[in-house]
Amino acid sequence: MKDLLHRQLTAILSELKYPPVEISFDRPKVESHGDLTTNVAMVLAKSVGKNPRQVAQSIVEKLQVDNRTFASVEIAGPGFINFKFSNAYVVESAKIILRSGELFGKSNASSGKKTNVEWVSANPTGPLHSGHGRQVILGKVISNLLEWTGHNVTREYYFNNAGNQMRNLAESIYARYRQELGDDYPFPEEGYKGDYIIDIAKQIVKEKGDSLRETDAERSYFKQVGETWCFNKIKETLSKLDVRHDVFYNEDTLYSTGKIAEVIEEFKKKDLAYDSEGAVWFRATKFGADKDRVIVKSSGEPTYRLPDIAYHREKFRRGFELIVDIFGADHIATIPDVLNGVQALGYETKDVKVIIHQMVSFVNGEEVVKMSKRSANVHTLDELIDEVGVDAVSYFFVMRSVGTHLEFDIALAKEQSEKNPVYYLQYAHARIAGILRFAEQEGFNSAEYAKILEATNFALMKEKEEIDLLKKLLEFPEVVQSCALTFEPHRLTTYLREVAETFHRFYHEHRVINDDKNLMQARLTVCLMAKIVIANGCKILGVSCPEKM
RNA sequence: GCAUCCGUAGCUCAACUGGAUAGAGCGUUGGCCUCCGAAGCCAAAGGUUUCGGGUUCGAAUCCCGACGGGUGUACCA
């Protein structure tokens, strides 16, 4: 519809000899302003030297609107042109919901664009903590959104099982192991203090007794057991949230296949890297950084930047056209370096989308939940899931825009009442399911969309609340696209809440089950369409839609 | 200090990326079940969008400056 109007308006502008401008349509906030609005007249006004309302008038006079589609076209306010759809158009359009069913909202807008989404990427040094939840859910929902808009998505997890952190893990487990054996053995100062380390140590005692008291300096057995334990734990948590990565990419492969050395060499050749003070430096200042960065320490070990750069190059080489990275705000410092490095290697940074989400704080009603990073009692993501459930976790972590701090109220998430936004949405779905169950006794089969399309007299949908609901439902594909395009999944939760609200209002105003069979059929169909949209939206969010609650 | 994100109703947050009268939830106050699910609906109250400048037809949104908060600022990741 927008396309059609767009073409018409473009033609009119050139006919009136107005300069070409970008024509855009918005959805007005206020109902009385119609369903679509454009500001072209106001944009044109200055260059044309007329007042905007006059410009609008001249355009509208030329406009050939189909009165089966539009109920009205009006000039309003400072010079907006407002279009209002006819009920017939809305009702006819709504048939697409039944025709598409579970596919309603999907598109091929990005026509199979090969896309890599990397997230979580926590090293196997411990279980995921509750703060990780935001990232876990964001990545999941963003991947889903991209898929719904036609991207060919590879879900990826990048990890490092070498280096300092893993050494530290091994030392921590070893220390706990010795302590379990009754030795007075010191715990490393920077060690991982969580209880899970003790669990792992106990497991080793159980399996190996005291035979590992004298072990190699690398503590390789402890490292390997620790890694396996942690990874299993992480994967278990992810699978509870239905997060499944396609690729687990080990940083080590970048070394073993020579990719790291290759990058250094190439940087040096391009004079983007140099030796100094026994280390290798990247000329970050060439890209506007305040100082150059070390990429290989004087010890010979690369810093995290180097493998990160090499890794992103590999993503390009693997053929990805869009690379999405999801980081917490605490990792923000690494991003410019990686982007600069990627650019230096000749790739477009515009094809790398870095999503940085702000931190999460937890609150239990009035009480602030403190969670210090290396302390013993970090709240794990598993515990959070056990406490509030998968649905609340999925919904809460994605309901705020990524740019703002997220306050997670555990008490609210746990509460099974109307205060909880997850339940509001699920209730709408269950309520519809209840009505449809009731209607089955009257012979309404809600599973056969094609028959329903045949049997329903769509012209009977004419109540205001009914039309409002259909309009809202028809926005769904656009919402999905815009969420995917802007990487802002929270807008989907906002939208779904509006759908539920609009449905409840319709339900409250008009009886669905009634004596007029045709009217009942029409209204049941409206309910069913609302159910489809809510279900599809929840699918993207990973929130369940119960038939009963 | 520098980088970066943010500052909107008592609280938690929206605002379709520059549009018309800034909206929701919670909380507060009042109303609605002889009838399809009241985990619902309706109504009221609540605002100088932190402050000060600027850009233009038009600013919560863009620019500059203050103030306040988060996160970084390593030859840790």
Side-chain angles (χ1 to χ4, degrees):
Chain A
M1 181 44 58
K2 283 185 187 176
D3 293 345
L4 191 73
L5 280 177
H6 195 278
R7 277 200 299 277
Q8 275 201 52
L9 286 175
T10 311
I12 290 170
L13 293 193
S14 73
E15 194 184 328
L16 289 169
K17 305 213 162 36
Y18 288 152
V21 288
E22 198 180 322
I23 301 169
S24 65
F25 295 95
D26 281 320
R27 200 180 299 286
K29 280 188 244 189
V30 185
E31 200 183 319
S32 61
H33 296 154
D35 300 309
L36 277 181
T37 184
T38 181
N39 61 355
V40 266
M42 282 136 75
V43 176
L44 280 168
K46 16 179 175 174
S47 55
V48 179
K50 287 195 217 169
N51 89 48
R53 288 193 67 113
Q54 280 176 339
V55 177
Q57 188 59 43
S58 64
I59 293 170
V60 170
E61 276 166 8
K62 297 270 180 194
L63 204 58
Q64 309 261 331
V65 289
D66 180 349
N67 58 16
R68 282 172 308 181
T69 305
F70 293 104
S72 68
V73 179
E74 287 170 355
I75 298 165
F80 292 101
I81 304 175
N82 295 338
F83 301 86
K84 188 173 167 58
F85 293 136
S86 69
N87 285 3
Y89 172 74
V90 173
V91 160
E92 184 60 32
S93 306
K95 291 181 179 172
I96 184 77
I97 302 172
L98 280 177
R99 291 203 187 99
S100 308
E102 295 84 64
L103 299 179
F104 181 63
K106 275 195 182 173
S107 70
N108 196 24
S110 299
S111 54
K113 192 170 200 174
K114 226 185 144 197
T115 301
N116 182 285
V117 181
E118 181 217 325
W119 85 107
V120 189
S121 297
N123 288 337
T125 58
L128 297 174
H129 61 81
S130 48
H132 278 117
R134 188 170 198 185
Q135 164 138 184
V136 171
I137 299 301
L138 267 175
K140 173 172 87 166
V141 177
I142 286 171
S143 302
N144 289 346
L145 281 165
L146 291 173
E147 238 160 34
W148 273 64
T149 51
H151 290 78
N152 176 3
V153 178
T154 298
R155 294 164 170 82
E156 190 148 322
Y157 187 121
Y158 176 68
F159 71 99
N160 169 8
N161 59 356
N164 279 336
Q165 293 187 35
M166 295 305 288
R167 260 196 298 277
N168 194 1
L169 175 72
E171 287 299 340
S172 303
I173 299 171
Y174 180 70
R176 292 299 189 210
Y177 169 76
R178 293 291 299 268
Q179 290 170 0
E180 282 298 313
L181 292 177
D183 299 346
D184 180 20
Y185 192 90
F187 191 75
E189 197 147 310
E190 291 295 304
Y192 294 100
K193 298 191 180 68
D195 289 343
Y196 67 97
I197 299 290
I198 298 171
D199 295 341
I200 299 169
K202 279 183 178 161
Q203 182 192 318
I204 296 175
V205 171
K206 206 165 148 192
E207 285 167 12
K208 297 284 179 177
D210 63 354
S211 65
L212 294 169
R213 195 179 253 131
E214 303 303 325
T215 187
D216 59 316
E218 294 293 308
R219 321 280 188 226
S220 35
Y221 181 79
F222 294 86
K223 189 167 162 183
Q224 182 251 310
V225 170
E227 179 184 339
T228 307
W229 189 94
C230 293
F231 242 137
N232 286 340
K233 198 78 190 164
I234 289 170
K235 287 177 183 171
E236 196 185 305
T237 307
L238 291 175
S239 98
K240 280 185 195 170
L241 295 170
D242 199 32
V243 170
R244 294 176 210 290
H245 290 87
D246 304 306
V247 177
F248 282 80
Y249 198 101
N250 190 338
E251 180 183 324
D252 189 53
T253 59
L254 295 168
Y255 292 89
S256 57
T257 56
K259 307 297 182 196
I260 301 284
E262 196 185 333
V263 171
I264 299 175
E265 212 174 297
E266 200 162 330
F267 277 175
K268 283 192 175 171
K269 213 186 293 172
K270 292 182 174 169
D271 192 33
L272 290 168
Y274 59 91
D275 296 308
S276 174
E277 303 165 51
V280 183
W281 297 70
F282 175 61
R283 286 196 201 279
T285 45
K286 266 203 170 176
F287 299 89
D290 53 338
K291 55 183 179 185
D292 290 343
R293 311 282 181 191
V294 171
I295 49 175
V296 182
K297 299 185 241 177
S298 45
S299 66
E301 281 180 277
T303 64
Y304 62 87
R305 290 178 245 277
L306 184 52
D308 276 0
I309 292 168
Y311 175 46
H312 277 77
R313 164 191 253 189
E314 287 316 299
K315 288 188 194 171
F316 277 113
R317 282 180 169 168
R318 285 158 63 200
F320 292 110
E321 300 162 276
L322 175 64
I323 293 168
V324 181
D325 293 340
I326 303 176
F327 291 122
D330 53 339
H331 280 231
I332 196 163
T334 79
I335 292 154
D337 297 325
V338 173
L339 291 180
N340 290 338
V342 162
Q343 198 185 338
L345 292 168
Y347 296 96
E348 295 277 354
T349 52
K350 71 169 173 53
D351 297 327
V352 182
K353 172 70 190 175
V354 182
I355 296 162
I356 300 154
H357 63 85
Q358 297 302 306
M359 303 280 89
V360 185
S361 62
F362 291 86
V363 142
N364 204 336
E366 297 291 297
E367 166 206 357
V368 176
V369 182
K370 278 276 174 201
M371 257 172 291
S372 52
K373 246 183 183 172
R374 302 222 167 158
S375 78
N377 48 353
V378 284
H379 192 246
T380 65
L381 185 50
D382 264 358
E383 286 163 349
L384 186 67
I385 295 168
D386 289 344
E387 215 173 335
V388 308
V390 170
D391 289 336
V393 166
S394 301
Y395 192 95
F396 273 62
F397 275 125
V398 87
M399 73 178 170
R400 302 299 182 214
S401 82
V402 296
T404 60
H405 193 91
L406 168 66
E407 183 168 285
F408 193 116
D409 187 339
I410 295 171
L412 177 62
K414 230 182 341 196
E415 190 160 326
Q416 306 211 352
S417 81
E418 77 284 357
K419 292 179 193 167
N420 188 331
V422 187
Y423 285 90
Y424 183 76
L425 183 55
Q426 292 181 322
Y427 177 69
H429 187 271
R431 195 181 209 186
I432 296 171
I435 298 162
L436 296 178
R437 265 196 306 279
F438 190 93
E440 268 167 35
Q441 300 158 15
E442 312 279 325
F444 184 82
N445 185 343
S446 58
E448 303 195 30
Y449 297 169
K451 280 191 186 160
I452 292 168
L453 268 169
E454 289 272 313
T456 301
N457 180 358
F458 281 76
L460 294 175
M461 301 171 188
K462 53 191 167 196
E463 301 295 344
K464 180 186 178 305
E465 290 78 9
E466 206 164 28
I467 299 294
D468 285 348
L469 176 56
L470 294 181
K471 282 179 182 171
K472 184 54 79 180
L473 297 177
L474 284 167
E475 287 175 29
F476 182 61
E478 233 175 278
V479 171
V480 172
Q481 279 204 38
S482 116
C483 287
L485 213 60
T486 56
F487 302 94
E488 289 181 349
H490 74 279
R491 277 161 42 177
L492 184 55
T493 62
T494 309
Y495 166 77
L496 289 172
R497 209 203 55 77
E498 287 167 6
V499 170
E501 184 181 39
T502 316
F503 168 74
H504 285 311
R505 197 173 300 139
F506 155 71
Y507 175 84
H508 189 262
E509 290 299 318
H510 305 288
R511 280 199 63 83
V512 175
I513 308 294
N514 61 46
D515 295 337
D516 181 338
K517 292 288 175 205
N518 290 327
L519 191 59
M520 179 174 89
Q521 169 82 27
R523 290 185 178 166
L524 283 169
T525 303
V526 172
C527 290
L528 179 59
M529 292 192 285
K531 184 166 182 267
I532 291 170
V533 169
I534 293 173
N536 290 3
C538 285
K539 185 97 190 291
I540 296 174
L541 293 177
V543 170
S544 70
C545 321
E547 295 287 313
K548 283 182 187 172
M549 46 194 293

